[in-house]
Amino acid sequence: MTPKLAYLLVLAALWGPSFLFIRVVVHEVPPVTMVAGRMLAATAMLYLLMRLRGGRLPRDRKTWLHLLFFALIGAVFPFVLVGWGEQFVDSAVASILNGTVPIFTLVLAHFWTDDDRMTPKSVVGVLLGMGGVVVLIAPSMGDEVTSSVLGLFACVLSAAFYGCSGVYARKHLRGLTPLAAPTMQFGITAVILVPVSLVMDTPWDLPAISLEAWGAWAGLTVLGTVAAFAVYFRMLEIATASYISMVTYLVPVLGVLLGVLVLGESLRWNAYAGCALILFGVLAVNGLPKRQPRAS
């Protein structure tokens, strides 16, 4: 197994349960407050880990501006969108829609980078992936826009932001001290969202949070944020943006299994059909990771 593939599998295992965790938390905690708390705790843990490893935060203004924009497109918008969407959408469906990240990544990388170009095969993959989104969403569309439809679109928009952030990070944030980028990204996100949470949600007025929700919140923070993004930024140094986005080929499968087995979610035929189209689209876009020959 190559190092890239090993990192990919670890990242999938860390991100796979995130949609389940989010679904549990947002039943008791508003999305903005959930993300703000997650970012505060994650920033503290990542900063401590970075300092223990001898890392430092960058000081130049250009890098800070890149990280500010990256925080907006890679955390503030997508985290809040998927949290809001999962108030109305099953975690399994949210994880399936998140599988479109490689589709958005490829289209954006084609125009923004020099090492990820679209081919006729990848264009077919884009069309398959978008077809899967249509199959997932179309049956919910009626004469009026419902909260479930808005939740579906929020999850798709979240995936688009993730795709954008992956390309942006590879283009502008490579070479930073390990853990510096996610520490600053989440710190900036916390600075933005904590005041919003205090004004919008007045968290001190929320009902008592159950142990189940606290546990899910902790799992989302430690596994789905601190550990996952430490691995993610390590991968940015050794893999292309589209290769890294292949993690979403595995995350939907884990997300569906956990949603059905743990939360007892029941999916309709179009969810499975949409998932299949998205996964085939991702496969057409990226292919399977190639095994490197062993040295003789």
Side-chain angles (χ1 to χ4, degrees):
M1 181 183 294
T2 66
K4 287 196 299 184
L5 180 55
Y7 277 120
L8 191 74
L9 295 175
V10 170
L11 192 56
L14 292 170
W15 266 336
S18 294
F19 298 95
L20 181 151
F21 292 148
I22 292 170
R23 178 72 171 171
V24 172
V25 177
V26 293
H27 276 294
E28 302 185 33
V29 181
V32 172
T33 296
M34 176 191 70
V35 178
R38 173 187 180 185
M39 294 295 97
L40 273 176
T43 300
M45 286 185 277
L46 282 170
Y47 181 77
L48 177 61
L49 183 60
M50 180 189 69
R51 296 296 291 153
L52 287 174
R53 295 176 60 178
R56 293 183 179 274
L57 297 177
R59 297 183 179 181
D60 61 290
R61 181 172 176 269
K62 183 178 180 181
T63 301
W64 274 88
L65 289 175
H66 280 310
L67 282 161
L68 172 60
F69 185 69
F70 180 66
L72 289 171
I73 64 174
V76 175
F77 295 141
F79 287 176
V80 172
L81 279 167
V82 76
W84 185 87
E86 283 204 51
Q87 294 178 110
F88 314 106
V89 174
D90 285 343
S91 66
V93 173
S95 69
I96 292 171
L97 290 173
N98 188 70
T100 59
V101 171
I103 309 298
F104 291 110
T105 299
L106 178 73
V107 174
L108 293 167
H110 178 80
F111 297 102
W112 283 5
T113 70
D114 297 324
D115 59 352
D116 272 353
R117 312 301 295 178
M118 292 182 70
T119 64
K121 181 181 177 182
S122 62
V123 170
V124 172
V126 170
L127 294 175
L128 282 172
M130 291 299 101
V133 173
V134 172
V135 169
L136 255 173
I137 294 178
S140 299
M141 299 292 288
D143 295 332
E144 60 182 36
V145 178
T146 63
S147 56
S148 63
V149 172
L150 292 176
L152 291 168
F153 277 111
C155 291
V156 174
L157 186 56
S158 173
F161 275 116
Y162 282 134
C164 183
S165 68
V167 177
Y168 192 85
R170 179 162 175 81
K171 188 173 179 64
H172 297 291
L173 298 177
R174 298 175 69 183
L176 291 179
T177 302
L179 301 181
T183 300
M184 292 179 67
Q185 177 195 13
F186 298 149
I188 293 169
T189 302
V191 168
I192 294 171
L193 290 182
V194 167
V196 177
S197 166
L198 296 177
V199 173
M200 285 182 55
D201 299 334
T202 57
W204 53 85
D205 290 330
L206 294 175
I209 301 173
S210 69
L211 288 177
E212 182 182 43
W214 278 117
W217 208 349
L220 180 63
T221 301
V222 176
L223 300 178
T225 309
V226 176
F229 277 85
V231 173
Y232 172 78
F233 276 90
R234 176 67 184 97
M235 283 195 72
L236 283 174
E237 302 297 326
I238 62 174
T240 65
S242 62
Y243 186 97
I244 296 170
S245 70
M246 249 188 93
V247 69
T248 48
Y249 185 75
L250 304 172
V251 167
V253 177
L254 290 173
V256 169
L257 288 174
L258 291 171
V260 172
L261 296 177
V262 178
L263 297 181
E265 295 174 348
S266 179
L267 301 182
R268 297 170 58 187
W269 68 268
N270 63 301
Y272 292 107
C275 182
L277 285 171
I278 290 170
L279 293 182
F280 279 122
V282 173
L283 184 59
V285 164
N286 286 327
L288 290 172
K290 294 181 178 179
R291 188 175 181 180
Q292 294 179 352
R294 295 179 181 177
S296 56

